[in-house]
Amino acid sequence: MSDLYELTTDVIDIASVARRVVPPECGATVTLDGYARRFTKDKATGEVRETEYLVYEAYEPMALKEMAKIIERAKAEFEVSAIGIAHRLGRLEIGETSVVISVAAPHRKAAFTACEWLIRELKRTVPIFKKEVYADGEAWSEGEMP
Amino acid sequence: MSDLYELTTDVIDIASVARRVVPPECGATVTLDGYARRFTKDKATGEVRETEYLVYEAYEPMALKEMAKIIERAKAEFEVSAIGIAHRLGRLEIGETSVVISVAAPHRKAAFTACEWLIRELKRTVPIFKKEVYADGEAWSEGEMP
Amino acid sequence: MVFADFAMILRVLFFGAAADSAGTREAQVEVAEGLTAGELVESLKAKHPGLAGQKLLIAVDQEYVAASTPLEPGCEIAIFTAVSGG
Amino acid sequence: MVFADFAMILRVLFFGAAADSAGTREAQVEVAEGLTAGELVESLKAKHPGLAGQKLLIAVDQEYVAASTPLEPGCEIAIFTAVSGG
């Protein structure tokens, strides 16, 4: 059972990611499915904006390296058996999946903990960039510094 | 956006559960996919047994009521928008999904917490019963008391 | 089991390991009015010795009840060991 | 930017908001040998004032580096603001 990590401009099938990381000693897979949200509240002003679509771009070779690193760190730190990460690039319509992280583990507790850790690290370290396009403009999303 | 809970003898499509609970104000869905595991370690003896298949049965009307109750409690306790639960009944081959719990929330932290709480409560309170069938016998799984 | 003048008929369902121990999945039992859930379980253990060693849960009309709960005529009882879904 | 006798040519990639601010996604720059990553960022901010107000991350050959890291001839630099995937 190997891990997987990929960047793709195709629509992501969350079941295929979740189901490609099912080792026979495991009983549970926890999957985070992040997707393009129609309404976003501005953290500073509290104003709610309606997003028309998203565009994701990546520094692809580095993003793949950083994805491999967080997988390696998660497997060292948590009792998990297999990890799959897929991140969408290009234009995403509202409701389409931007990221899927699936973690299979013998015990579900470790799968939950590792999956939550992985999305936090991905948002902190993997060089992928989100642009939100509104009816009246567009803005790069402000992320967290690593 | 309504919640869903169901018992089915059909193969469960985890994406369809996850994707039926995607409200427009949400950005993340956390899904637990539990499945029939080939190898199980006996808690008392440490012996590893190979399972050939599983059979799940339920006290169906009460199981549906208890599923509705844990959904209601989760929505009261956590900041989540929609919850879907599907549990398989009948004979399951190894690797097939026995349970899917999907939780959509505006913030992923609440989705992780609620999903983990829901599977724990489901295993404690929902009257569903698992029988493991081995090459040389079978045994009802010993669950936890509510 | 003592049959009082005022008896009631109950439907009892068994699930999982409890069904194997009872040797049946469903029974009709006639019991004295006012019997509690715990007393019913004791009488079932007397009738089906396989149930005797088990910690059993009891539901009345699809709700978990305490052993002290009195049973009503016509109610549906379910008996099972700890649940094991998931 | 000072061109020393021993200069090196670097490829600089810009992503996300930093690409918009720089007005380009890629540039070749010639810099003095031994320049640090932080010094390069300062010189890029001088050339592209849009970058000046931003907190920038720098990667060399696809690894995050500290501002004090010396750059090597032929390395690939990437400049971006905080990442925002997920």
Side-chain angles (χ1 to χ4, degrees):
Chain A
M1 178 60 50
S2 58
D3 304 309
L4 78 96
Y5 50 99
E6 63 186 19
L7 297 167
T8 175
T9 54
D10 296 335
V11 169
I12 294 174
D13 172 358
I14 82 153
S16 98
V17 178
R19 279 304 176 146
R20 276 158 69 189
V21 291
V22 175
E25 75 276 17
C26 286
T29 296
V30 171
T31 299
L32 174 83
D33 172 19
Y35 36 87
R37 164 164 59 187
R38 182 170 301 283
F39 301 108
T40 305
K41 189 186 272 188
D42 186 287
K43 282 170 193 163
T45 65
E47 185 194 359
V48 174
R49 297 199 76 168
E50 181 168 356
T51 304
E52 298 215 325
Y53 61 91
L54 300 180
V55 179
Y56 281 93
E57 67 169 43
Y59 181 19
E60 295 194 31
M62 181 171 171
L64 291 168
K65 281 187 186 179
E66 292 290 326
M67 286 160 83
K69 278 185 199 170
I70 61 175
I71 288 174
E72 194 182 342
R73 287 167 58 207
K75 293 185 80 170
E77 188 156 346
F78 307 104
E79 296 280 337
V80 300
S81 299
I83 294 170
I85 303 179
H87 202 297
R88 179 86 179 273
L89 298 180
R91 172 175 170 151
L92 275 75
E93 305 306 325
I94 297 304
E96 289 186 343
T97 290
S98 54
V99 64
V100 168
I101 301 183
S102 284
V103 181
H107 302 287
R108 66 179 190 274
K109 175 77 192 159
F112 276 107
T113 307
C115 188
E116 197 168 0
W117 182 89
L118 282 159
I119 181 65
R120 199 166 59 236
E121 287 300 295
L122 179 143
K123 285 173 166 278
R124 215 173 58 84
T125 66
V126 178
I128 299 175
F129 309 95
K130 176 169 75 172
K131 185 193 276 183
E132 291 173 357
V133 181
Y134 312 108
D136 60 348
E138 57 179 49
W140 289 99
S141 175
E142 286 177 33
E144 306 152 48
M145 299 303 276
Chain B
M1 176 61 50
S2 58
D3 305 309
L4 78 96
Y5 50 99
E6 62 188 17
L7 296 167
T8 175
T9 54
D10 295 336
V11 168
I12 294 174
D13 172 358
I14 82 153
S16 96
V17 178
R19 279 304 176 144
R20 277 157 69 188
V21 291
V22 175
E25 75 276 16
C26 286
T29 297
V30 171
T31 299
L32 173 83
D33 172 18
Y35 35 86
R37 163 164 60 185
R38 182 170 300 284
F39 301 108
T40 305
K41 189 186 274 189
D42 187 288
K43 282 171 191 162
T45 66
E47 185 195 359
V48 174
R49 298 198 77 171
E50 182 170 354
T51 303
E52 299 215 324
Y53 61 90
L54 300 180
V55 179
Y56 281 93
E57 67 170 42
Y59 180 19
E60 296 193 32
M62 181 173 170
L64 291 168
K65 282 187 185 180
E66 292 291 325
M67 287 160 82
K69 279 185 199 170
I70 62 176
I71 288 174
E72 194 183 342
R73 286 167 56 206
K75 294 185 81 172
E77 188 156 348
F78 307 104
E79 296 280 335
V80 300
S81 299
I83 294 171
I85 303 179
H87 202 295
R88 180 88 179 273
L89 298 180
R91 174 174 168 151
L92 274 76
E93 304 307 323
I94 297 303
E96 289 186 342
T97 289
S98 53
V99 64
V100 168
I101 301 181
S102 283
V103 181
H107 302 289
R108 66 178 189 275
K109 176 76 191 159
F112 276 108
T113 307
C115 189
E116 197 169 0
W117 182 88
L118 281 158
I119 181 63
R120 199 166 61 235
E121 287 299 295
L122 179 142
K123 284 173 167 278
R124 216 173 57 83
T125 66
V126 179
I128 299 175
F129 309 94
K130 175 168 72 172
K131 185 193 276 181
E132 292 174 354
V133 180
Y134 313 109
D136 61 348
E138 58 180 48
W140 289 99
S141 176
E142 286 178 33
E144 305 152 48
M145 297 305 275
Chain C
M1 201 176 294
V2 178
F3 292 159
D5 287 342
F6 298 94
M8 53 186 181
I9 292 179
L10 306 174
R11 184 175 175 224
V12 182
L13 308 175
F14 299 91
F15 292 93
D20 288 1
S21 298
T24 183
R25 303 186 61 78
E26 182 167 347
Q28 298 263 6
V29 298
E30 193 176 350
V31 299
E33 243 185 89
L35 194 78
T36 67
E39 287 164 348
L40 175 67
V41 168
E42 289 314 306
S43 74
L44 291 167
K45 284 182 173 178
K47 190 171 175 191
H48 305 287
L51 290 172
Q54 302 190 25
K55 178 117 179 70
L56 297 173
L57 295 173
I58 184 162
V60 174
D61 291 340
Q62 303 159 15
E63 300 284 346
Y64 289 108
V65 296
S68 59
T69 305
L71 302 176
E72 303 288 336
C75 67
E76 179 182 285
I77 316 291
I79 305 286
F80 39 87
T81 57
V83 305
S84 53
Chain D
M1 202 177 299
V2 177
F3 291 161
D5 289 343
F6 299 94
M8 54 185 181
I9 292 179
L10 306 174
R11 183 175 177 226
V12 182
L13 308 175
F14 300 91
F15 292 93
D20 288 359
S21 299
T24 183
R25 306 186 59 79
E26 183 167 350
Q28 298 264 2
V29 299
E30 193 176 350
V31 299
E33 242 184 88
L35 194 79
T36 66
E39 288 165 348
L40 175 66
V41 168
E42 289 313 308
S43 75
L44 291 168
K45 285 182 172 178
K47 192 170 173 192
H48 305 286
L51 290 174
Q54 303 192 21
K55 177 119 179 68
L56 297 172
L57 295 173
I58 184 161
V60 175
D61 291 339
Q62 302 157 15
E63 300 282 346
Y64 289 107
V65 296
S68 59
T69 306
L71 302 175
E72 303 288 336
C75 67
E76 178 181 288
I77 316 292
I79 305 286
F80 39 86
T81 57
V83 305
S84 53

